[in-house]
Amino acid sequence: MLARTERSSADPSLPGCTGTVPGLPARPGDAESEPAPADGPTYRILGPLEVHRAGVLCTPTSLKRRALLTLLLLHANRRFPICTLIGELWDDRPPPSAVAAVQMYVSGLRRVLDPAHSRGGGDARRHPLLLTAGNGYLLRVRPGDLDLDRFRALAGLGRDQRAAGDCTTSAESFHQALALWRGTSPGELGQAGLPAHYTVRLEEERLALVHDRIGADICTGRAREVVGELEELCARHPLREDFHEQLMLALATAGRRAEALNAYARARRTVVENTGIEPGPGLRTAQQTLLSGARPDNARHDRCRPAVVLRPAGLDG
């Protein structure tokens, strides 16, 4: 399922769903802009879920509880209506006890995220991290405490650096962002049978940044190094013409023009056989450029400054 309609926060088709979380009235001071405590946990969802508190791994063990936390992290610092949570956790087929079950999972997560608050007899409705917010819940996460936030920040930084003409630095930012990924993300969703659209969206983000990073690598003189990676990407994603186009560019830049034209022929055959239509203008233009004897353009990198080549002292002149 790649798309789904978000349920109303008071959907009567879900058992027990009303305008507010039963038994837990909204706090008058709840606000998305209120910061999380400075000593809160850190989270990793670009791969299997991990929660660290004070340097100690404290990931919840219950699969449903991990799935709930993952959903809250994907909507960090925003109210998540309980009926939407229920629909996601049980694929729109919840049991009659769904609301009570979610409350139980939330209670368990609160103990994990801030055990001192629970041990001290703190009011659950005034938990410093996982708040009751009107008709649902809100998880406060500080900037940088979630790996997905760091991934997106580094991706944005790299794109700004590329736009400023500094491909060498942008490539470093892209590499750092992609190094945060530890596998399929978010790992908990597939195991719990939750909607695929979250994983699909994040994978699209990752592949878009892989494309940007490879473009920066080619721009900084690493065309030979990325050929093998691009061949693998083209095999895994045969209908993504942007990777086929980059493979042609990398091969041509590495002085392998005949192989670049063969790569176009393979890409065209794959596209036609699977879709019945010709490749898009990017691939066709790359082929025509190669046939004319020129090198294809490295899209988005025409403003970049060439990498500085440092020569050993005494070799000038």
Side-chain angles (χ1 to χ4, degrees), residues 94-117:
S97 60
V99 171
V102 169
Q103 287 182 284
M104 181 181 67
Y105 300 149
V106 167
S107 178
L109 286 178
R110 283 171 169 159
R111 290 193 298 271
V112 168
L113 298 178
D114 192 337
H117 182 270

PDB file of all heavy atoms in Angstrom, residues 94-117:
ATOM      1  N   PRO A  94      -8.820  -2.681  13.573  1.00  0.00           N
ATOM      2  CA  PRO A  94      -8.422  -2.759  14.978  1.00  0.00           C
ATOM      3  C   PRO A  94      -9.356  -3.635  15.799  1.00  0.00           C
ATOM      4  O   PRO A  94     -10.536  -3.796  15.466  1.00  0.00           O
ATOM      5  CB  PRO A  94      -8.525  -1.308  15.437  1.00  0.00           C
ATOM      6  CG  PRO A  94      -9.625  -0.748  14.591  1.00  0.00           C
ATOM      7  CD  PRO A  94      -9.480  -1.405  13.243  1.00  0.00           C
ATOM      8  N   PRO A  95      -8.858  -4.190  16.892  1.00  0.00           N
ATOM      9  CA  PRO A  95      -9.713  -4.925  17.818  1.00  0.00           C
ATOM     10  C   PRO A  95     -10.530  -3.942  18.644  1.00  0.00           C
ATOM     11  O   PRO A  95     -10.211  -2.755  18.720  1.00  0.00           O
ATOM     12  CB  PRO A  95      -8.706  -5.678  18.692  1.00  0.00           C
ATOM     13  CG  PRO A  95      -7.497  -4.794  18.695  1.00  0.00           C
ATOM     14  CD  PRO A  95      -7.449  -4.173  17.323  1.00  0.00           C
ATOM     15  N   PRO A  96     -11.581  -4.417  19.307  1.00  0.00           N
ATOM     16  CA  PRO A  96     -12.389  -3.513  20.144  1.00  0.00           C
ATOM     17  C   PRO A  96     -11.585  -2.838  21.246  1.00  0.00           C
ATOM     18  O   PRO A  96     -11.935  -1.755  21.698  1.00  0.00           O
ATOM     19  CB  PRO A  96     -13.463  -4.445  20.727  1.00  0.00           C
ATOM     20  CG  PRO A  96     -13.545  -5.584  19.760  1.00  0.00           C
ATOM     21  CD  PRO A  96     -12.155  -5.764  19.234  1.00  0.00           C
ATOM     22  N   SER A  97     -10.496  -3.470  21.673  1.00  0.00           N
ATOM     23  CA  SER A  97      -9.697  -2.927  22.770  1.00  0.00           C
ATOM     24  C   SER A  97      -8.555  -2.045  22.285  1.00  0.00           C
ATOM     25  O   SER A  97      -7.603  -1.790  23.029  1.00  0.00           O
ATOM     26  CB  SER A  97      -9.118  -4.082  23.592  1.00  0.00           C
ATOM     27  OG  SER A  97      -8.292  -4.911  22.757  1.00  0.00           O
ATOM     28  N   ALA A  98      -8.617  -1.561  21.046  1.00  0.00           N
ATOM     29  CA  ALA A  98      -7.479  -0.855  20.458  1.00  0.00           C
ATOM     30  C   ALA A  98      -7.076   0.382  21.246  1.00  0.00           C
ATOM     31  O   ALA A  98      -5.882   0.626  21.470  1.00  0.00           O
ATOM     32  CB  ALA A  98      -7.797  -0.480  19.014  1.00  0.00           C
ATOM     33  N   VAL A  99      -8.037   1.192  21.661  1.00  0.00           N
ATOM     34  CA  VAL A  99      -7.699   2.418  22.387  1.00  0.00           C
ATOM     35  C   VAL A  99      -6.990   2.084  23.687  1.00  0.00           C
ATOM     36  O   VAL A  99      -5.959   2.684  24.027  1.00  0.00           O
ATOM     37  CB  VAL A  99      -8.958   3.263  22.638  1.00  0.00           C
ATOM     38  CG1 VAL A  99      -8.642   4.427  23.590  1.00  0.00           C
ATOM     39  CG2 VAL A  99      -9.514   3.804  21.330  1.00  0.00           C
ATOM     40  N   ALA A 100      -7.521   1.119  24.428  1.00  0.00           N
ATOM     41  CA  ALA A 100      -6.885   0.718  25.692  1.00  0.00           C
ATOM     42  C   ALA A 100      -5.490   0.159  25.445  1.00  0.00           C
ATOM     43  O   ALA A 100      -4.560   0.411  26.224  1.00  0.00           O
ATOM     44  CB  ALA A 100      -7.758  -0.311  26.407  1.00  0.00           C
ATOM     45  N   ALA A 101      -5.334  -0.597  24.335  1.00  0.00           N
ATOM     46  CA  ALA A 101      -4.016  -1.156  24.026  1.00  0.00           C
ATOM     47  C   ALA A 101      -3.012  -0.053  23.731  1.00  0.00           C
ATOM     48  O   ALA A 101      -1.864  -0.091  24.197  1.00  0.00           O
ATOM     49  CB  ALA A 101      -4.135  -2.115  22.841  1.00  0.00           C
ATOM     50  N   VAL A 102      -3.428   0.965  22.961  1.00  0.00           N
ATOM     51  CA  VAL A 102      -2.513   2.073  22.658  1.00  0.00           C
ATOM     52  C   VAL A 102      -2.121   2.799  23.937  1.00  0.00           C
ATOM     53  O   VAL A 102      -0.953   3.150  24.135  1.00  0.00           O
ATOM     54  CB  VAL A 102      -3.159   3.045  21.652  1.00  0.00           C
ATOM     55  CG1 VAL A 102      -2.338   4.337  21.539  1.00  0.00           C
ATOM     56  CG2 VAL A 102      -3.266   2.398  20.276  1.00  0.00           C
ATOM     57  N   GLN A 103      -3.092   3.022  24.824  1.00  0.00           N
ATOM     58  CA  GLN A 103      -2.771   3.663  26.101  1.00  0.00           C
ATOM     59  C   GLN A 103      -1.736   2.852  26.888  1.00  0.00           C
ATOM     60  O   GLN A 103      -0.829   3.410  27.504  1.00  0.00           O
ATOM     61  CB  GLN A 103      -4.038   3.830  26.929  1.00  0.00           C
ATOM     62  CG  GLN A 103      -4.964   4.920  26.400  1.00  0.00           C
ATOM     63  CD  GLN A 103      -6.179   5.060  27.289  1.00  0.00           C
ATOM     64  OE1 GLN A 103      -7.089   4.240  27.256  1.00  0.00           O
ATOM     65  NE2 GLN A 103      -6.197   6.107  28.089  1.00  0.00           N
ATOM     66  N   MET A 104      -1.870   1.534  26.850  1.00  0.00           N
ATOM     67  CA  MET A 104      -0.917   0.672  27.549  1.00  0.00           C
ATOM     68  C   MET A 104       0.472   0.781  26.906  1.00  0.00           C
ATOM     69  O   MET A 104       1.488   0.871  27.608  1.00  0.00           O
ATOM     70  CB  MET A 104      -1.403  -0.776  27.512  1.00  0.00           C
ATOM     71  CG  MET A 104      -0.490  -1.758  28.245  1.00  0.00           C
ATOM     72  SD  MET A 104      -1.113  -3.456  28.148  1.00  0.00           S
ATOM     73  CE  MET A 104      -0.915  -3.789  26.387  1.00  0.00           C
ATOM     74  N   TYR A 105       0.523   0.778  25.576  1.00  0.00           N
ATOM     75  CA  TYR A 105       1.808   0.910  24.899  1.00  0.00           C
ATOM     76  C   TYR A 105       2.454   2.258  25.222  1.00  0.00           C
ATOM     77  O   TYR A 105       3.670   2.344  25.450  1.00  0.00           O
ATOM     78  CB  TYR A 105       1.638   0.796  23.377  1.00  0.00           C
ATOM     79  CG  TYR A 105       1.047  -0.505  22.900  1.00  0.00           C
ATOM     80  CD1 TYR A 105       0.254  -0.546  21.751  1.00  0.00           C
ATOM     81  CD2 TYR A 105       1.259  -1.698  23.587  1.00  0.00           C
ATOM     82  CE1 TYR A 105      -0.295  -1.734  21.296  1.00  0.00           C
ATOM     83  CE2 TYR A 105       0.704  -2.895  23.142  1.00  0.00           C
ATOM     84  CZ  TYR A 105      -0.076  -2.899  21.998  1.00  0.00           C
ATOM     85  OH  TYR A 105      -0.628  -4.076  21.551  1.00  0.00           O
ATOM     86  N   VAL A 106       1.653   3.324  25.231  1.00  0.00           N
ATOM     87  CA  VAL A 106       2.178   4.651  25.539  1.00  0.00           C
ATOM     88  C   VAL A 106       2.724   4.685  26.963  1.00  0.00           C
ATOM     89  O   VAL A 106       3.800   5.249  27.210  1.00  0.00           O
ATOM     90  CB  VAL A 106       1.082   5.720  25.337  1.00  0.00           C
ATOM     91  CG1 VAL A 106       1.501   7.053  25.953  1.00  0.00           C
ATOM     92  CG2 VAL A 106       0.782   5.904  23.853  1.00  0.00           C
ATOM     93  N   SER A 107       1.989   4.085  27.893  1.00  0.00           N
ATOM     94  CA  SER A 107       2.460   4.051  29.275  1.00  0.00           C
ATOM     95  C   SER A 107       3.817   3.367  29.372  1.00  0.00           C
ATOM     96  O   SER A 107       4.727   3.839  30.070  1.00  0.00           O
ATOM     97  CB  SER A 107       1.431   3.333  30.155  1.00  0.00           C
ATOM     98  OG  SER A 107       1.879   3.251  31.491  1.00  0.00           O
ATOM     99  N   GLY A 108       3.970   2.245  28.648  1.00  0.00           N
ATOM    100  CA  GLY A 108       5.252   1.547  28.650  1.00  0.00           C
ATOM    101  C   GLY A 108       6.358   2.380  28.034  1.00  0.00           C
ATOM    102  O   GLY A 108       7.495   2.404  28.529  1.00  0.00           O
ATOM    103  N   LEU A 109       6.061   3.096  26.943  1.00  0.00           N
ATOM    104  CA  LEU A 109       7.066   3.942  26.305  1.00  0.00           C
ATOM    105  C   LEU A 109       7.493   5.077  27.229  1.00  0.00           C
ATOM    106  O   LEU A 109       8.670   5.444  27.279  1.00  0.00           O
ATOM    107  CB  LEU A 109       6.515   4.519  24.999  1.00  0.00           C
ATOM    108  CG  LEU A 109       6.409   3.565  23.812  1.00  0.00           C
ATOM    109  CD1 LEU A 109       5.811   4.282  22.609  1.00  0.00           C
ATOM    110  CD2 LEU A 109       7.764   2.962  23.464  1.00  0.00           C
ATOM    111  N   ARG A 110       6.551   5.616  27.969  1.00  0.00           N
ATOM    112  CA  ARG A 110       6.906   6.699  28.894  1.00  0.00           C
ATOM    113  C   ARG A 110       7.899   6.223  29.946  1.00  0.00           C
ATOM    114  O   ARG A 110       8.827   6.952  30.316  1.00  0.00           O
ATOM    115  CB  ARG A 110       5.636   7.246  29.545  1.00  0.00           C
ATOM    116  CG  ARG A 110       4.831   8.169  28.617  1.00  0.00           C
ATOM    117  CD  ARG A 110       3.491   8.526  29.190  1.00  0.00           C
ATOM    118  NE  ARG A 110       2.875   9.608  28.403  1.00  0.00           N
ATOM    119  CZ  ARG A 110       1.582   9.870  28.380  1.00  0.00           C
ATOM    120  NH1 ARG A 110       0.732   9.122  29.089  1.00  0.00           N
ATOM    121  NH2 ARG A 110       1.110  10.864  27.660  1.00  0.00           N
ATOM    122  N   ARG A 111       7.721   5.004  30.407  1.00  0.00           N
ATOM    123  CA  ARG A 111       8.664   4.473  31.402  1.00  0.00           C
ATOM    124  C   ARG A 111      10.050   4.280  30.795  1.00  0.00           C
ATOM    125  O   ARG A 111      11.066   4.495  31.460  1.00  0.00           O
ATOM    126  CB  ARG A 111       8.141   3.151  31.970  1.00  0.00           C
ATOM    127  CG  ARG A 111       6.922   3.300  32.867  1.00  0.00           C
ATOM    128  CD  ARG A 111       6.644   2.017  33.641  1.00  0.00           C
ATOM    129  NE  ARG A 111       6.333   0.897  32.764  1.00  0.00           N
ATOM    130  CZ  ARG A 111       5.092   0.602  32.346  1.00  0.00           C
ATOM    131  NH1 ARG A 111       4.061   1.361  32.721  1.00  0.00           N
ATOM    132  NH2 ARG A 111       4.892  -0.443  31.563  1.00  0.00           N
ATOM    133  N   VAL A 112      10.097   3.874  29.525  1.00  0.00           N
ATOM    134  CA  VAL A 112      11.380   3.672  28.856  1.00  0.00           C
ATOM    135  C   VAL A 112      12.080   5.008  28.595  1.00  0.00           C
ATOM    136  O   VAL A 112      13.285   5.160  28.826  1.00  0.00           O
ATOM    137  CB  VAL A 112      11.178   2.911  27.527  1.00  0.00           C
ATOM    138  CG1 VAL A 112      12.449   2.948  26.682  1.00  0.00           C
ATOM    139  CG2 VAL A 112      10.771   1.472  27.794  1.00  0.00           C
ATOM    140  N   LEU A 113      11.317   5.994  28.121  1.00  0.00           N
ATOM    141  CA  LEU A 113      11.920   7.253  27.692  1.00  0.00           C
ATOM    142  C   LEU A 113      12.372   8.118  28.860  1.00  0.00           C
ATOM    143  O   LEU A 113      13.346   8.869  28.745  1.00  0.00           O
ATOM    144  CB  LEU A 113      10.926   8.034  26.813  1.00  0.00           C
ATOM    145  CG  LEU A 113      10.506   7.345  25.512  1.00  0.00           C
ATOM    146  CD1 LEU A 113       9.500   8.190  24.765  1.00  0.00           C
ATOM    147  CD2 LEU A 113      11.702   7.026  24.636  1.00  0.00           C
ATOM    148  N   ASP A 114      11.673   8.042  29.979  1.00  0.00           N
ATOM    149  CA  ASP A 114      12.064   8.829  31.145  1.00  0.00           C
ATOM    150  C   ASP A 114      11.674   8.073  32.410  1.00  0.00           C
ATOM    151  O   ASP A 114      10.666   8.380  33.051  1.00  0.00           O
ATOM    152  CB  ASP A 114      11.393  10.206  31.121  1.00  0.00           C
ATOM    153  CG  ASP A 114      12.002  11.162  32.145  1.00  0.00           C
ATOM    154  OD1 ASP A 114      12.595  10.680  33.131  1.00  0.00           O
ATOM    155  OD2 ASP A 114      11.896  12.379  31.956  1.00  0.00           O
ATOM    156  N   PRO A 115      12.452   7.054  32.772  1.00  0.00           N
ATOM    157  CA  PRO A 115      12.093   6.238  33.939  1.00  0.00           C
ATOM    158  C   PRO A 115      12.062   7.031  35.234  1.00  0.00           C
ATOM    159  O   PRO A 115      11.296   6.712  36.141  1.00  0.00           O
ATOM    160  CB  PRO A 115      13.180   5.162  33.966  1.00  0.00           C
ATOM    161  CG  PRO A 115      14.312   5.718  33.165  1.00  0.00           C
ATOM    162  CD  PRO A 115      13.689   6.592  32.137  1.00  0.00           C
ATOM    163  N   ALA A 116      12.881   8.075  35.343  1.00  0.00           N
ATOM    164  CA  ALA A 116      12.902   8.868  36.570  1.00  0.00           C
ATOM    165  C   ALA A 116      11.552   9.540  36.805  1.00  0.00           C
ATOM    166  O   ALA A 116      11.076   9.628  37.946  1.00  0.00           O
ATOM    167  CB  ALA A 116      14.007   9.910  36.509  1.00  0.00           C
ATOM    168  N   HIS A 117      10.910   9.995  35.744  1.00  0.00           N
ATOM    169  CA  HIS A 117       9.598  10.633  35.871  1.00  0.00           C
ATOM    170  C   HIS A 117       8.576   9.645  36.420  1.00  0.00           C
ATOM    171  O   HIS A 117       7.776   9.978  37.288  1.00  0.00           O
ATOM    172  CB  HIS A 117       9.146  11.179  34.519  1.00  0.00           C
ATOM    173  CG  HIS A 117       7.830  11.894  34.556  1.00  0.00           C
ATOM    174  ND1 HIS A 117       6.629  11.260  34.365  1.00  0.00           N
ATOM    175  CD2 HIS A 117       7.540  13.208  34.776  1.00  0.00           C
ATOM    176  CE1 HIS A 117       5.646  12.144  34.451  1.00  0.00           C
ATOM    177  NE2 HIS A 117       6.170  13.327  34.694  1.00  0.00           N
TER     178      HIS A 117
END
